[in-house]
Structures are given as C-alpha cells and as structure tokens.
Amino acid sequence: MQSHVKPFFHAPTGTWSYVVSDAASREAAVIDPVLDYDWRSGRTGTASADAVLRHLEADGLRLRWILETHAHADHLSAAPYIRDRAGGLIAIGAGIRQVQATFKRIFGLGDEFVPDGRQFDRLLGDGETVDLGALRGRVMATPGHTSDSVSYLFGDALFVGDTVFMPDGGSARCDFPGGDAAELFRSVQRLYALPATTRVYVCHDYSPGGRPPECQTTIEAQRAANIHIKADTPEADFVALRVARDATLDVPNLIIPSVQVNIRAGRLPPVEADGVSYLKVPLNVLGRPLS
Ligand SMILES: [Fe+2]
C-alpha cells in the first residue's frame, strides 16, 4: 500500500522531519519534528513545527502518531508542541529507558526524573505496529547509533532515523553512550533485507560535496553505493571504519540542550521557584579532553 510522504528540512541542524499519511483514511504520523532553538539566547521557537501543523491542516489530516526515531542529540523535539495542537500519541523505541538512565546520571538529574519511559505516551518494541487507517506501520528496532533507535516502515516507505544517511553520507556515529558499531551493522543488515525498491527516508543530510540537501533514496541504492556500508561490506571493516571516524568527531553542537529535553519527550525541565526552566551543563564529562 502506498503511503504519502511530505518532508520538511530544518537547515540549522540538517534534520529531515516527515508527515506520512494514508490517503484513504486521512490519518497521519509526524516523524521527528524539530523545535527551533537558539543556543546563544536559550530561546526556543516553533516556526518549524508550525509549518508541519499548517500542512496537517491544509491536507485535512488527522494526526494519530508523533514518532521519534530516537532521543536526538542534535536538535530539540517539538513533539509535545504538536500533540497539544493536533493530538496524537508521542512514541519512541523502548530502549529509551536505557538512554534515560544513562543521561539521568550524566546530567545529575534528581528524583523528579524517572527513567522508565513514562514521559512518552507509548514505548515501541520491535515488530509493534503504529497503523494509519488500513496502512500498516511496522516498528523495527535498529539500535547501534543509540540503544533506543527504531525505524518505521509504512507500506514501502522506510524512515531509518540515524542508521544510514544518503548513500554519499554513509552512516551515523556510534560513540554516544549506549552506541555500538557492531550493533548498527546488524541493524543495517535488517534494513538491507527489505525489498530493493523500498523508499528510504533519512533523518539528516549534511549536503556532502556541497550538493543540495536530499532526503530519499532506496534500499537498492544503499546496498550498492553507501560509502560506509554496502550489501557486501564485512562487519569488521564497517566497525573499524566507524570507530576510527567517530574518534575524529566533535560532540554535536546541541547535545547538552537536546538530550535533556528529548529524554523528557520534548518537554523543557520543570520550572524552578522563579518560574524559569533551566538546563544543566556537566563540566568535563562529555567529549574528549581539550588538547
Ligand atoms: Fe541521532
């Protein structure tokens, strides 16, 4: 069954969000919506999320799901903003509990933050379904980049989160806490076993070589041409490449605000006595020592 996919690009973070919908029922899911954030001022904004909401309204879509492919480390999620205005359930992979426990420790969060996934409306395991009318949405656990990473398959449209990027972009880093290159290799094998014509929608594109941002490829193209992991790439070669490359990467610009908000399903930390919500910065914990 064909699903309709509308992509939205967030240029400041190179993030692709999507609205996927079923033509017959007009039911829709929003995947990985972005809350704008200015790190200099600490201000959030909703222009990007409002564009998604306008699309839902203009196309007469009923929002059933707001799906995260994982707790992102590079942008804040607009999931609660969208749910408050258009309805739907916020869902993420069940591995979020491990991610929450890890980052509760890293950010020194108190008892108010319980790392059991309760902040989300639904936790999704491998093989569970997130249907839109008669259009079946299948959850595939695809850990490796993070332990909560999942992919969503609606008909022939596959939303892969941060597993693989466009073929000329390769694959996602595996050096965050809970990441594992060998696990990502196995996850990608599951994706590559899907039909060759499956449409693959990526979560990020950083315009390698200066080309315009792209969001869609196919399983066939990934198997043939992904610069990090082709159909016949040995696991050991991929892991060696991934580990070597990750050792050169800087911490993402927005990891500190993003993770603290996204493990709360996109809500800001509780306001303090002065009515203001604050983020924490753990000093000398993340990244490599300065040289
Ligand atoms: Fe990510």
Side-chain angles (χ1 to χ4, degrees):
M1 189 174 299
Q2 275 288 102
S3 51
H4 183 262
V5 178
K6 166 76 175 171
F8 296 82
F9 188 59
H10 187 252
T13 61
T15 302
W16 286 103
S17 306
Y18 299 97
V19 172
V20 54
S21 57
D22 168 49
S25 66
R26 311 304 295 163
E27 293 190 357
V30 172
I31 299 176
D32 292 331
V34 177
L35 186 70
D36 301 314
Y37 181 73
D38 179 57
W39 59 270
R40 288 161 293 213
S41 61
R43 289 228 171 238
T44 62
T46 60
S48 300
D50 288 335
V52 173
L53 289 169
R54 279 197 300 276
H55 171 73
L56 293 171
E57 175 138 17
D59 274 23
L61 299 172
R62 279 197 307 278
L63 188 59
R64 290 293 184 229
W65 296 100
I66 303 162
L67 303 172
E68 301 283 1
T69 54
H70 60 297
H72 306 275
D74 63 286
H75 68 267
L76 281 63
S77 169
Y81 178 80
I82 288 181
R83 187 189 56 185
D84 289 350
R85 284 152 187 83
L89 298 174
I90 301 174
I92 198 167
I96 186 64
R97 290 176 292 220
Q98 287 161 261
V99 175
Q100 288 177 319
T102 298
F103 283 103
K104 175 173 182 170
R105 192 171 63 247
I106 288 174
F107 287 108
L109 302 181
D111 293 342
E112 59 84 15
F113 182 76
V114 184
D116 64 356
R118 68 178 62 179
Q119 300 81 359
F120 296 82
D121 298 318
R122 281 279 301 276
L123 300 186
L124 300 168
D126 188 61
E128 288 199 60
T129 53
V130 283
D131 295 347
L132 301 172
L135 176 64
R136 166 108 333 159
R138 181 155 69 95
V139 178
M140 298 177 70
T142 45
H145 170 62
T146 61
S147 47
D148 63 333
S149 290
V150 293
S151 299
Y152 299 101
L153 180 64
F154 288 92
D156 72 337
L158 176 69
F159 299 87
V160 296
D162 291 0
T163 52
V164 283
F165 299 135
M166 294 297 290
D168 59 355
S171 61
R173 64 194 300 169
C174 295
D175 60 334
F176 295 152
D180 185 294
E183 205 169 33
L184 180 60
F185 180 88
R186 290 190 289 273
S187 293
V188 172
Q189 302 312 305
R190 291 188 68 205
L191 300 180
Y192 282 7
L194 292 168
T197 55
T198 304
R199 294 177 287 161
V200 173
Y201 292 91
V202 301
C203 183
H204 289 291
D205 190 65
Y206 305 113
S207 298
R211 63 155 171 72
E214 295 178 11
C215 68
Q216 194 237 304
T217 179
T218 63
I219 289 294
E220 184 173 32
Q222 294 284 18
R223 288 172 54 94
N226 187 287
I227 59 168
H228 291 170
I229 181 165
K230 299 179 180 55
D232 60 356
T233 301
E235 177 175 335
D237 290 8
F238 173 74
V239 170
L241 178 148
R242 195 63 266 170
V243 169
R245 182 170 161 73
D246 289 348
T248 71
L249 298 177
D250 289 330
V251 169
N253 289 337
L254 297 183
I255 188 171
I256 288 173
S258 298
V259 171
Q260 287 179 81
V261 169
N262 294 341
I263 60 175
R264 299 178 189 274
R267 288 183 205 84
L268 305 183
V271 297
E272 300 194 6
D274 57 2
V276 176
S277 177
Y278 291 85
L279 295 166
K280 299 172 81 172
V281 179
L283 296 175
N284 298 317
V285 172
L286 295 170
R288 294 186 296 277
L290 301 181
S291 55

